[in-house]
Amino acid sequence: MFESHLFARCTAHHAVLYWDKPAAAGAQAEYTVYLNNEPAGTTDRTHFTLENLEPQTEYRVDVVFENQPVGACMLRTGAERQRINVTEAPYWAKGDGVTKNTAALQRAIDACGPGGSVYLPAGTYLTGALRLHSDMELYLDEGAVLQGTAEIVDYQPRIPSRFEGAEMRCYSSLLNLGKMDHEEGYNCFNVVIRGKGTIASGGKALADKIIADEREHLKDYLAENADLVASCDDEDTIPGRVRPRLINISNCQNVWISGLTLKDSASWTVHMIYSDNIVTDHCTFHSEAVRNGDGWDPDSSTNCTLFASEFFTGDDSVAIKSGKNAEGSAIARPSAHIYVFDCRSACGYGICVGSEMSGGVEDVQIWDCDLEHSFSGIEIKGTAKRGGYVRGVTVRDCKAPRVMIHSVPYNDDGEAADTPPVFEHFTFAGLTLTGRALNSKREWKDVAPVELAGFEGPAYALRDVNFDGLTITAKAPRLPLQYCSDVTLRGVTCLPQEN
């Protein structure tokens, strides 16, 4: 492999290429992809899919922009995977949408050897929680739906997890990879979850059942801690924290999720905790009706890449996290090297960092995303209790309602860290900010296209924020600033839309 800014994920017959956006490339850049020195195609995106490749074969790939090399690599396709069809002997799973297949599907997963693939043909496979393992693939064919039930019992036992920045035991997710332990290294490796089908869970119905059940279970605790309950967003906050995710990735390394529709989680959709090298591409996320219905959440994780995906979410489309308050600061595992590009938010809050960021967040790069139909756009947030830092965030060539870097009053329960957060070193280039955002009722409202607010005290002011080539189309642009230093605006164009 050459030292390169070009990366590839391969199966036996296709490869998904992706690369860093060159500094000189604008919003309309075009790239040419070469396969073994022959043109394979052109694209205006920073990713490209090669089809009809031969198994276990080496190929040279080059990507060129304006006659300048972007990157080159030697990729090797994989071997044909040994396929386990879950509908065949000895598993006999039934895709009728009625039969509960948890045991049959788990047997197939357990029988899948290194390099094997668990295959779901078209059909709806009702199931409870499943547990994947290293060196396997789960493949859903077109028309296949892995459908989680809406029954609490099907997501037991509770497992070590983390929700809203606090470590705790939560119900098992629909798909579970690895075992969470912040003191240990990676314990699950090389998992592929892909195909053309759908992975869905019990959604709001499951969430409501769990919240009601947990509130009853905790009724004495909640009554004895009325001040804590009052500091939360509402009475469902504490009992809601045990809900499962759709896909839980804990202490994992090298996981690839591709091509799927992911929907109806009871809380966050894809959550990676203390993990590394997680790639998600060409997926569609649906969680419109779900409380805390985030889409893709790197949490104290590194080298996580998301691209070519669309979001219809009930909360943040992307939420980058690293723990909450004193506990997050003590664990001190940052999220770093997070890349998000060519994504669209059709519903939800957009791309966010925080509010749980006490372990630190750094090197976040976002480009070529359409967030116009989001509630928040691009948001970096925390409370004064958080501690930690967010630094080194670069956003390029995106469209959004607004950019917000600010302190927030919600999700503020728990023991405070010793100091406020530090927010510093942000670059926003080539953005179009509309100053019009959707609210939860899908109604448009006018908002400030830029809102910057650090924390009180010279050491905690928001600092080193650079806007370059900003286009603002808001009717009445406002740029409120508070507790900031070293804010630079260059090449700002205001072109108010006429409504």
Side-chain angles (χ1 to χ4, degrees):
M1 182 78 71
F2 298 102
E3 184 68 27
S4 174
H5 297 283
L6 173 63
F7 310 93
R9 290 281 176 154
C10 301
T11 67
H13 295 287
H14 90 290
V16 178
L17 311 173
Y18 55 101
W19 53 90
D20 295 340
K21 188 167 187 174
Q28 306 301 318
E30 185 170 271
Y31 307 89
T32 302
V33 179
Y34 293 86
L35 183 65
N36 290 340
N37 298 315
E38 295 293 331
T42 60
T43 179
D44 60 357
R45 308 295 179 178
T46 55
H47 59 88
F48 189 83
T49 300
L50 296 168
E51 304 279 6
N52 302 315
L53 303 179
E54 293 296 322
Q56 295 182 285
T57 302
E58 280 196 348
Y59 294 90
R60 178 181 172 114
V61 178
D62 296 86
V63 176
V64 173
F65 162 67
E66 292 186 346
N67 298 317
Q68 298 296 317
V70 173
C73 70
M74 295 297 298
L75 64 82
R76 182 176 177 82
T77 53
E80 296 277 10
R81 289 182 179 266
Q82 181 179 0
R83 177 176 283 185
I84 296 175
N85 187 327
V86 299
T87 66
E88 297 177 352
Y91 311 107
W92 303 120
K94 298 186 183 303
D96 56 13
V98 177
T99 303
K100 192 182 297 185
N101 294 285
T102 311
L105 295 173
Q106 190 63 58
R107 286 198 306 272
I109 291 166
D110 293 345
C112 185
S117 179
V118 175
Y119 171 72
L120 276 66
T124 299
Y125 301 86
L126 195 64
T127 182
L130 300 169
R131 304 177 198 285
L132 308 188
H133 58 80
S134 294
D135 302 310
M136 68 163 291
E137 176 184 87
L138 177 64
Y139 186 90
L140 283 74
D141 210 342
E142 187 171 4
V145 180
L146 185 65
Q147 178 63 62
T149 77
E151 302 304 320
I152 298 175
V153 67
D154 291 319
Y155 299 89
Q156 294 177 337
R158 298 191 191 192
I159 60 173
S161 191
R162 193 190 217 186
F163 191 72
E164 291 188 337
E167 291 193 349
M168 59 190 301
R169 297 186 74 85
C170 298
Y171 283 97
S172 297
S173 298
L174 184 64
L175 295 181
N176 301 272
L177 290 70
K179 181 177 179 180
M180 193 198 79
D181 187 336
H182 70 257
E183 295 181 344
E184 298 293 333
Y186 308 118
N187 53 53
C188 182
F189 305 85
N190 308 326
V191 179
V192 178
I193 305 169
R194 70 180 186 97
K196 302 176 182 179
T198 297
I199 300 175
S201 190
K204 187 176 185 299
L206 175 61
D208 290 347
K209 289 179 182 179
I210 289 175
I211 290 171
D213 182 77
E214 187 69 2
R215 184 185 295 112
E216 177 64 23
H217 178 69
L218 294 176
K219 64 180 180 180
D220 292 339
Y221 171 83
L222 297 174
E224 293 166 1
N225 293 272
D227 290 344
L228 174 62
V229 174
S231 72
C232 295
D233 294 343
D234 58 41
E235 64 177 8
D236 289 341
T237 296
I238 293 174
R241 287 173 173 162
V242 299
R243 289 169 293 157
R245 270 59 89 193
L246 185 70
I247 302 177
N248 170 61
I249 301 168
S250 295
N251 288 73
C252 292
Q253 189 173 53
N254 194 26
V255 177
W256 181 23
I257 304 171
S258 182
L260 299 166
T261 296
L262 307 170
K263 63 185 294 187
D264 295 340
S265 177
S267 59
W268 301 341
T269 305
V270 177
H271 185 197
M272 58 289 286
I273 316 166
Y274 309 140
S275 293
D276 177 70
N277 197 19
I278 312 299
V279 176
T280 305
D281 66 89
H282 295 89
C283 289
T284 302
F285 293 72
H286 284 276
S287 62
E288 293 94 324
V290 179
R291 174 191 175 97
N292 307 121
D294 290 4
W296 189 80
D297 288 21
D299 193 349
S300 290
S301 292
T302 53
N303 299 301
C304 298
T305 302
L306 167 72
F307 60 96
S309 294
E310 188 168 21
F311 292 85
F312 303 80
T313 54
D315 208 312
D316 301 338
S317 300
V318 172
I320 302 165
K321 303 174 179 290
S322 64
K324 183 175 177 179
N325 298 357
E327 180 186 286
S329 297
I331 292 172
R333 291 189 61 162
S335 279
H337 318 309
I338 312 296
Y339 306 96
V340 179
F341 52 95
D342 190 27
C343 288
R344 176 175 177 265
S345 178
C347 172
Y349 285 86
I351 298 176
C352 303
V353 177
S355 62
E356 308 93 59
M357 35 54 66
S358 302
V361 176
E362 59 187 330
D363 185 25
V364 176
Q365 299 188 39
I366 301 163
W367 66 86
D368 294 348
C369 289
D370 180 359
L371 311 173
E372 183 178 6
H373 289 82
S374 66
F375 304 161
S376 298
I378 298 161
E379 183 177 18
I380 298 162
K381 54 189 174 179
T383 78
K385 285 184 175 181
R386 289 289 187 260
Y389 57 86
V390 179
R391 61 192 181 211
V393 177
T394 300
V395 185
R396 299 174 55 196
D397 301 318
C398 295
K399 189 172 187 179
R402 52 185 166 175
V403 170
M404 294 189 290
I405 309 174
H406 61 158
S407 57
V408 295
Y410 49 82
N411 192 7
D412 197 37
D413 59 295
E415 179 188 358
D418 294 336
T419 61
V422 173
F423 289 167
E424 59 185 0
H425 310 322
F426 302 94
T427 298
F428 302 93
L431 303 191
T432 297
L433 303 179
T434 65
R436 297 177 71 243
L438 287 170
N439 63 21
S440 59
K441 297 179 181 179
R442 296 290 195 94
E443 300 167 337
W444 289 104
K445 61 179 182 179
D446 292 329
V447 298
V450 174
E451 178 184 325
L452 305 180
F455 298 88
E456 189 172 1
Y460 305 106
L462 168 62
R463 55 183 178 261
D464 188 21
V465 185
N466 297 280
F467 292 91
D468 195 352
L470 190 65
T471 299
I472 297 175
T473 63
K475 287 191 297 183
R478 294 174 291 115
L479 281 71
L481 309 180
Q482 185 178 28
Y483 302 128
C484 300
S485 66
D486 299 322
V487 177
T488 303
L489 292 92
R490 288 184 298 270
V492 177
T493 301
C494 292
L495 298 171
Q497 292 181 342
E498 295 181 4
N499 294 326

